[in-house]
């Protein structure tokens, strides 16, 4: 763990993508056509027909007025489109890197953009901001046609991007955009007017009547009043969060309604936060600016300063938003979108507010993905893709980064040849774990992306994944480099992601931990983080919360009052014992419900219920008390037990009827869990073997056989019951005296897999350093160990590993064959 950070990359100015530049220059004249393509796949073995399907790829054709270009093949449609645009730019002689404007150029573009926004041409345009302008025309008195500057700041992405080019700190201080917009408006006195100390702009001359008429004609003929629910969050933590109703008339402007609830006479003084949740969301915080908001109107563009509010910080709103919110605020999902001229609105309920709160940590995101807030828990280990339920660790980690305004996590996947991974396994105290990251990198490509080309990966390779997370300013926040090797690339990525998530959960649970404990925690999860930057970007958002909210984010496990671990009599298990009991690795399916129960009066309020809920036993996928009870049950049995209340926010996020739940919480109560064990699916044999033996027994047997074979001076070998070729494949990884190897199996499917594996290895034998360069031929036979085959006579050595068969009789000729070889 590192206690300090450094700037790993220079802060880069936002640049336009090739597709964005093409749109700027050609607009609707540029036409993209994406088609799915199939690339031919090679047949891995001349002797066997192996049906192979290549990856789904896309190619894009870009039609411009003067020419057409076609991209290469890509896994993602957007990559194909960007590639086609890049080719078109090169053909046009446009240098993408040189197209990024300087700060001075961006400032001139910003002024031009503000000028265009208040032009006659912009008002009829299909743009969220033009809809605000039309609504402002319906305002009465001195406010008529007056547009809040905060609306311009949030609705026009181009303005925001230009401000970020002028001053990159805008990313961390979004209210700086207001200063730049007002300063740009001040440079257009012939077009717009802005009162000093105020946050509103209006045209100096009214719009012509014909422009207004053409704009109004685009709106819906039927104008209806709107009623939507929002959340009022007082600045004082002692005051409760309450729902409010926004009633907006057909001729009104919703900013005026919000201003009225906030106690403002002028909606131009309403400030708006960034979106909460998805980028396409219209959920934002609305709060009041000071009566006289001092803007930095100095001439120094690059060093504009954030003017202090001077008012009290709203801790609850700031934590949820990731941006400083001052005074009382309103959380609402309302606004104009690109989809049409009519206003968009969605109810924001108290339940959705509490769900936003618990989603601030990874375990909360996982609970919501499973819709099991009071039962599910982020698993401790990633076993298989099939057994994992809910959002995958990689998805949750990306969601976490977006919530905290961080860059998308960087995944560096490395492949290690089978021989090397075996050597690393034997050289380490822990089987299957490399001794150090440096030792591993001797055999890997550190910069390999997540999407590794299957053609470049040697069959039998192991994978490891390193994760790095950066701030928007390109500061390295943390990195995770587990030493564990995985057979599948996806398992390496998901397991590394889960390590980061588990560390985040543990750290955010105890933000004030000692430095010694902090270091130990980082070592447990192979985390290296930069404390100052991490606190600035992540912990700062949580530390401003009140005690109750902090308790929710740092969730404590519900106490059981001893009912599970110390006193089994409190667990009521009913039904006949079917002897079908769960064990670690089993996939369980249960039906459960959770209710609030008042102590003494036995009144119930159902909070959460799921008819079929699956989870893997022993991975920590559910809360401990639930798993402890289920471990004592068999299929068909039901159980009932009680726990103390978890943090209140979890209860309210799960409640179906929030009013009733709040009423219950005013008196002593607890949670009642009712469970029925519906099904137990035992894990596959290979999974159980991996859980008990590391490395697995099958791998140990193969390695032992290879060691014995190396001691013989045999030039030919036949493997009876070769299956998918695990032994034959291993022989290609080690230097031996063998020149010919053969395999026999009764399964065509297994032989097909073996052919594919052997072919991929043998095509590399041209490499002088390849261990298998002495092997000249590999042959696969469709046959049985019980049937004599003259083609197998003359082999020096025969092997037979992991073959189960009932009582068989071997013919004399077959016995003669075995007497001619040296079986192991």
């Amino acid at each position: 763990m590192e206690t300090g950070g450094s700037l790993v990359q220079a802060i880069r100015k936002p640049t336009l993508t090739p597709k964005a530049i093409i749109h700027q220059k050609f607009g609707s004249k540029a036409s993209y056509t994406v088609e799915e393509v199939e690339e031919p796949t090679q047949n891995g073995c001349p002797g066997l027909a192996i049906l192979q399907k290549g990856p789904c790829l896309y190619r894009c054709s870009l039609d411009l007025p003067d020419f057409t270009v076609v991209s290469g093949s890509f896994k993602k449609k957007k990559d194909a489109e960007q590639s086609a645009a890049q080719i078109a730019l090169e053909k046009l002689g446009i240098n993408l890197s040189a197209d990024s404007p300087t700060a001075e150029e961006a400032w001139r573009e910003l002024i031009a953009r503000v000028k265009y926004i208040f032009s006659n041409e912009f008002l009829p345009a299909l743009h969220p901001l033009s809809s605000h302008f039309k609504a402002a025309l319906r305002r009465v008195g001195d406010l008529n046609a007056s547009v809040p500057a905060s609306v311009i700041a949030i609705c026009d992405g181009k303005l925001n991007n230009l401000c970020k080019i002028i001053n990159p700190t805008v990313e961390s201080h979004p209210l700086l955009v207001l200063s730049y917009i007002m300063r740009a408006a001040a440079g257009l006195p012939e077009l717009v007017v802005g009162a000093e100390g105020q946050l509103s702009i209006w045209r100096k001359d009214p719009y012509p009547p014909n422009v207004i008429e053409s704009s109004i004609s685009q709106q819906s003929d039927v104008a209806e009043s709107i009623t939507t629910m929002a959340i009022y969050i007082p600045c004082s933590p002692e005051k409760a969060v309450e729902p409010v109703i926004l009633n907006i008339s057909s001729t009104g402007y919703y900013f005026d309604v919000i201003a009225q609830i906030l106690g403002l006479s002028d909606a131009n003084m309403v400030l708006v936060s960034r979106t909460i949740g998805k980028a396409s969301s219209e959920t934002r915080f609305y709060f009041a600016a000071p009566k006289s908001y001092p803007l930095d109107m100095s001439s120094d563009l690059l060093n504009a300063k954030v003017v202090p509010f001077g008012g009290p910080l709203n801790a609850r709103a700031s934590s949820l938003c990731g941006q400083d919110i001052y005074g009382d605020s309103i959380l609402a999902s309302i606004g104009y979108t690109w989809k049409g001229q009519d206003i968009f609105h969605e109810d924001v309920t108290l339940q959705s507010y509490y769900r936003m709160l618990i989603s601030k940590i990874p375990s909360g995101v996982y609970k919501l993905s499973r819709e099991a807030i009071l039962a599910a828990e982020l698993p401790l280990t990633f076993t298989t893709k099939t057994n994992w339920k809910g959002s995958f660790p990689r998805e949750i980690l990306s969601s976490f980064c977006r919530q905290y305004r961080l860059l998308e996590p960087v995944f560096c996947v490395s492949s290690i040849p089978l021989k090397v991974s075996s050597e690393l396994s034997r050289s380490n105290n822990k089987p299957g774990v490399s001794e150090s990251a440096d030792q591993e990198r001797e055999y890997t490509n550190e910069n390999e992306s997540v999407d590794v080309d299957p053609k470049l990966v040697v069959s039998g390779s192991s994978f490891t994944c390193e994760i790095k997370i950066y701030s928007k300013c390109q500061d390295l926040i943390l990195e995770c480099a587990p030493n564990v090797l995985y057979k599948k690339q996806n398992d390496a990525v998901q397991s590394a992601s889960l390590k980061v998530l588990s560390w985040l959960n543990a750290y955010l649970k105890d933000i004030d931990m000692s430095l010694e404990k902090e270091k130990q925690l980082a070592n447990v999860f192979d985390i290296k983080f930069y404390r100052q930057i991490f606190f600035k970007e992540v912990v700062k958002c949580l530390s401003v919360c009140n005690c109750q909210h902090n308790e929710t984010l740092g969730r404590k496990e519900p106490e059981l009052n001893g009912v599970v671990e110390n006193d089994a009599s409190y667990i009521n298990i009913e039904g006949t014992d079917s002897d079908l009991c769960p064990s670690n690795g089993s996939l369980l399916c249960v039906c459960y419900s959770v209710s609030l129960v008042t102590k003494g009066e036995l009144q119930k309020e159902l909070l959460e219920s799921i008819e079929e809920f699956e989870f893997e036993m022993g991975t920590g996928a559910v809360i401990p008390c639930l798993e402890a009870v289920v471990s004592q049950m068999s299929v068909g049995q039901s159980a009932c037990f009680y726990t103390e209340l978890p943090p209140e926010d979890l209860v309210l996020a799960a409640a179906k009827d929030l009013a009733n739940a709040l009423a219950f919480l005013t008196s002593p109560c607890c949670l009642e869990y009712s469970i029925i064990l519906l099904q137990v699916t035992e894990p596959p044999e290979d999974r159980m073997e991996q859980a008990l033996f590391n490395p697995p027994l099958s791998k140990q047997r193969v390695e032992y056989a290879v060691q014995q074979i190396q001691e013989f001076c045999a030039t030919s070998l036949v493997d009876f019951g070769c299956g998918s070729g695990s032994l034959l494949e291993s022989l290609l990884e080690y230097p031996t005296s063998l020149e010919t190897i053969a395999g026999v199996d009764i399964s065509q499917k297994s032989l097909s897999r073996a052919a594919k594996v052997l072919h991929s290895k043998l095509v590399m034998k041209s490499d002088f350093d390849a261990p298998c360069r002495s092997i000249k031929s590999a042959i696969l036979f469709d046959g049985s160990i019980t049937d004599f085959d003259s083609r197998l006579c003359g082999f020096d050595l025969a092997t037979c590993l992991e073959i189960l068969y009932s009582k068989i009789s071997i013919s004399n000729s077959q016995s003669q064959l075995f007497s001619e070889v040296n079986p192991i």
Side-chain angles (χ1 to χ4, degrees):
M1 186 271 295
E2 295 289 334
T3 57
S6 61
L7 191 65
V8 294
Q9 290 180 333
I11 297 177
R12 294 197 296 259
K13 296 178 181 178
T15 57
L16 295 174
T17 63
K19 191 175 177 182
I21 296 174
I22 290 293
H23 178 73
Q24 279 187 346
K25 296 185 178 296
F26 296 96
S28 59
K29 296 179 181 179
S31 175
Y32 295 86
T33 304
V34 179
E35 60 178 352
E36 187 173 340
V37 296
E38 292 185 6
E39 290 197 346
T41 55
Q42 295 182 349
N43 194 336
C45 178
L48 292 172
I50 304 175
L51 298 177
Q52 302 181 53
K53 184 178 180 181
C56 184
L57 301 176
Y58 299 94
R59 183 185 298 130
C60 178
S61 173
L62 171 57
D63 294 323
L64 296 176
D66 297 328
F67 59 87
T68 300
V69 296
V70 179
S71 73
S73 299
F74 295 87
K75 291 183 178 180
K76 297 180 180 179
K77 294 180 181 180
K78 64 179 182 180
D79 291 342
E81 292 176 341
Q82 294 290 358
S83 175
Q86 177 66 42
I87 296 172
L89 290 177
E90 292 173 356
K91 201 165 184 178
L92 291 168
I94 298 175
N95 187 350
L96 186 61
S97 60
D99 201 68
S100 299
T102 63
E104 290 74 15
E105 292 171 340
W107 173 244
R108 289 194 292 270
E109 288 187 32
L110 179 62
I111 296 176
R113 182 65 182 174
V114 173
K115 184 177 181 180
Y116 168 70
I117 286 173
F118 283 90
S119 67
N120 295 336
E121 292 77 16
F122 182 75
L123 188 64
L126 181 60
H127 191 287
L129 186 54
S130 69
S131 298
H132 280 276
F133 278 49
K134 296 163 193 172
L137 291 173
R138 298 194 294 266
R139 303 178 79 181
V140 297
D142 294 337
L143 297 178
N144 180 259
S146 177
V147 181
S150 57
V151 169
I152 302 175
I154 65 169
C155 289
D156 195 77
K158 292 182 180 179
L159 279 178
N160 276 273
N161 289 332
L162 290 170
C163 290
K164 291 175 185 177
I165 295 174
I166 297 170
N167 188 349
T169 59
V170 167
E171 184 65 50
S172 303
H173 305 286
L175 294 181
L176 269 177
V177 177
L178 296 176
S179 295
Y180 287 112
I181 291 175
M182 297 303 294
R183 195 184 307 180
L188 299 168
E190 74 287 351
L191 179 64
V192 297
V193 178
E196 185 176 353
Q198 298 298 313
L199 295 174
S200 59
I201 309 174
W202 60 93
R203 276 175 57 112
K204 187 175 183 180
D205 298 322
Y207 288 101
N210 62 318
V211 174
I212 297 177
E213 290 176 5
S214 63
S215 302
I216 295 177
S217 64
Q218 297 176 2
Q219 294 179 303
S220 299
D221 296 333
V222 181
E224 297 179 352
S225 298
I226 293 173
T227 300
T228 187
M229 185 176 291
I231 300 298
Y232 185 83
I233 305 176
C235 180
S236 173
E238 284 77 24
K239 295 182 179 179
V241 175
E242 297 177 348
V244 294
I245 302 297
L246 304 181
N247 293 309
I248 305 160
S249 67
S250 58
T251 58
Y253 185 31
Y254 75 88
F255 258 70
D256 291 323
V257 176
I258 292 176
Q260 185 179 2
I261 297 176
L262 290 173
L264 300 173
S265 58
D266 184 359
N268 292 329
M269 298 308 293
V270 174
L271 299 181
V272 192
S273 75
R274 296 179 290 201
T275 57
I276 312 297
K278 297 180 180 179
S280 59
S281 169
E282 287 300 317
T283 306
R284 303 173 186 270
F285 279 101
Y286 297 82
F287 57 107
K291 291 183 179 179
S292 180
Y293 184 63
L295 295 168
D296 182 2
M297 302 294 286
S298 64
S299 59
D300 189 355
L301 292 176
L302 297 179
N303 298 307
K305 298 178 181 178
V306 180
V307 180
F309 258 69
L313 184 71
N314 190 321
R316 289 177 289 193
S318 299
S319 171
L320 195 56
C321 180
Q323 171 187 342
D324 288 345
I325 306 295
Y326 295 88
D328 297 344
S329 65
I330 291 176
L331 177 64
S333 181
I334 187 170
Y336 295 101
T337 68
W338 289 91
K339 296 180 180 180
Q341 300 282 342
D342 297 327
I343 193 169
F344 165 85
H345 62 95
E346 279 184 332
D347 286 340
V348 178
T349 63
L350 274 175
Q351 185 189 52
S352 58
Y353 165 75
Y354 286 110
R355 289 186 170 221
M356 290 179 191
L357 284 182
I358 68 173
S359 69
K360 293 297 288 184
I361 60 171
S363 62
V365 178
Y366 181 77
K367 287 172 176 288
L368 292 172
S369 74
R370 298 225 60 192
E371 285 295 328
I373 296 173
L374 299 175
E377 188 56 275
L378 183 69
L380 302 174
T381 57
F382 183 86
T383 52
T384 64
K385 185 177 180 180
T386 304
N387 280 10
W388 184 275
K389 307 300 177 183
S391 296
F392 285 97
R394 181 180 175 182
E395 298 172 12
I396 299 175
L397 184 58
S398 296
S399 174
F400 179 87
C401 291
R402 286 191 292 269
Q403 276 210 56
Y404 287 87
R405 308 285 175 178
L406 308 176
L407 295 179
E408 287 290 315
V410 178
F411 301 89
C412 302
V413 178
S414 305
S415 62
I416 303 176
L418 181 62
K419 178 185 176 183
V420 176
S421 63
S422 299
E423 291 175 353
L424 292 176
S425 299
R426 289 194 296 269
S427 66
N428 199 283
N429 293 331
K430 294 181 180 180
V433 180
S434 63
E435 187 171 315
S436 68
D438 293 335
Q439 182 179 7
E440 179 180 324
R441 292 190 183 105
E442 293 178 11
Y443 309 98
T444 63
N445 176 8
E446 290 183 88
N447 298 320
E448 190 171 351
S449 65
V450 174
D451 297 322
V452 180
D453 187 347
K455 299 177 182 177
L456 301 179
V457 178
V458 179
S459 178
S461 295
S462 296
F463 296 92
T464 185
C465 177
E466 181 180 1
I467 298 177
K468 294 183 180 181
I469 297 178
Y470 295 87
S471 70
K472 287 284 188 181
C473 295
Q474 305 288 331
D475 292 318
L476 179 61
I477 296 177
L478 68 83
E479 52 189 322
C480 177
N483 293 330
V484 183
L485 305 179
Y486 296 89
K487 291 182 179 180
K488 296 180 180 179
Q489 174 188 322
N490 181 65
D491 290 353
V493 173
Q494 301 293 356
S495 296
S497 300
L498 186 56
K499 277 210 166 191
V500 176
L501 296 174
S502 300
W503 177 81
L504 287 169
N505 271 334
Y507 195 94
L508 298 179
K509 178 180 179 180
D510 187 11
I511 296 175
D512 298 323
M513 69 177 68
S514 65
L515 289 176
E516 183 62 29
K517 185 177 179 182
E518 191 177 273
K519 184 176 181 179
Q520 292 175 354
L521 184 66
N523 290 335
V524 167
F525 293 103
D526 299 315
I527 296 291
K528 181 180 180 182
F529 79 105
Y530 301 91
R531 198 169 186 270
Q532 291 180 345
I533 303 174
F534 181 76
F535 265 67
K536 174 185 174 183
E537 300 291 341
V538 178
V539 178
K540 180 183 176 183
C541 296
L542 302 177
S543 60
V544 297
C545 299
N546 59 24
C547 296
Q548 179 183 351
H549 185 42
N550 266 337
E551 190 174 290
T552 301
L553 293 174
R555 183 184 61 79
K556 299 177 181 178
E557 298 296 347
E559 297 179 5
L560 308 182
N561 275 347
V563 299
V564 174
E565 298 177 351
N566 301 328
D567 193 347
S569 62
Y570 284 88
I571 306 173
N572 182 18
I573 298 179
E574 298 179 348
T576 307
D577 188 350
S578 63
D579 291 332
L580 294 175
C581 301
S583 59
N584 283 350
S586 302
L587 187 64
L588 309 188
C589 181
V590 301
C591 170
Y592 81 90
S593 64
V594 187
S595 302
L596 270 175
V597 180
T598 57
K599 295 180 179 179
E601 298 181 10
L602 296 181
Q603 294 180 343
K604 286 186 180 182
E605 172 64 26
L606 180 64
L607 297 176
E608 180 177 286
S609 63
I610 298 182
E611 292 185 359
E612 293 184 355
F613 179 75
E614 289 186 323
F615 66 94
E616 185 175 357
M617 189 77 171
T619 61
V622 293
I623 58 175
C625 52
L626 194 153
E627 186 169 74
V629 171
V630 171
S631 66
Q632 304 176 43
M633 300 169 62
S634 64
V635 173
Q637 288 186 325
S638 61
C640 179
F641 65 95
Y642 300 87
T643 74
E644 293 292 334
L645 287 179
E648 185 176 291
D649 290 351
L650 288 176
V651 175
L652 297 177
K656 299 179 183 297
D657 189 324
L658 206 64
N660 285 351
L662 287 169
F664 268 74
L665 292 174
T666 58
S667 58
C669 56
C670 60
L671 291 186
E672 179 192 73
Y673 284 77
S674 298
I675 313 169
I676 301 175
L677 183 56
L678 302 176
Q679 186 177 349
V680 174
T681 304
E682 292 298 330
E685 185 178 347
D686 58 342
R687 285 272 317 283
M688 295 184 66
E689 181 183 321
Q690 290 179 24
L692 297 174
F693 301 95
N694 193 355
L697 283 177
S698 55
K699 185 175 181 180
Q700 293 184 38
R701 294 189 187 103
V702 168
E703 290 185 350
Y704 175 78
V706 171
Q707 292 176 7
Q708 298 298 314
I709 292 169
Q710 287 176 320
E711 295 180 3
F712 289 87
C713 296
T715 59
S716 59
L717 174 144
V718 57
D719 182 26
F720 289 99
C722 65
S724 299
S726 58
L727 175 60
L728 301 178
E729 179 188 2
S730 298
L731 290 173
L732 298 179
E733 295 287 345
Y734 297 89
T736 64
S737 58
L738 294 173
E739 297 179 0
T740 302
I741 57 175
V744 180
D745 205 278
I746 59 175
S747 170
Q748 285 279 353
K749 188 175 182 180
S750 296
L751 289 174
S752 297
R753 290 201 206 100
K756 184 177 180 180
V757 170
L758 295 177
H759 176 73
S760 65
K761 290 292 181 68
L762 289 173
V763 293
M764 299 178 61
K765 67 176 295 183
S766 57
D767 184 356
F768 180 77
D769 295 328
C772 61
R773 62 182 183 275
S774 63
I775 296 179
K776 299 177 182 178
S777 64
I779 312 168
L780 297 177
F781 296 104
D782 179 11
S784 170
I785 190 174
T786 61
D787 300 327
F788 175 75
D789 193 335
S790 60
R791 296 174 297 177
L792 303 180
C793 293
F795 279 85
D796 299 334
L797 206 61
T799 56
C800 188
L801 272 70
E802 296 184 327
I803 302 299
L804 299 178
Y805 53 89
S806 56
K807 185 176 181 181
I808 60 173
S809 59
I810 302 179
S811 62
N812 292 333
S813 56
Q814 191 76 17
S815 301
Q816 183 181 1
L817 168 62
F818 273 89
S819 66
E820 294 176 358
V821 298
N822 300 307
I824 295 178

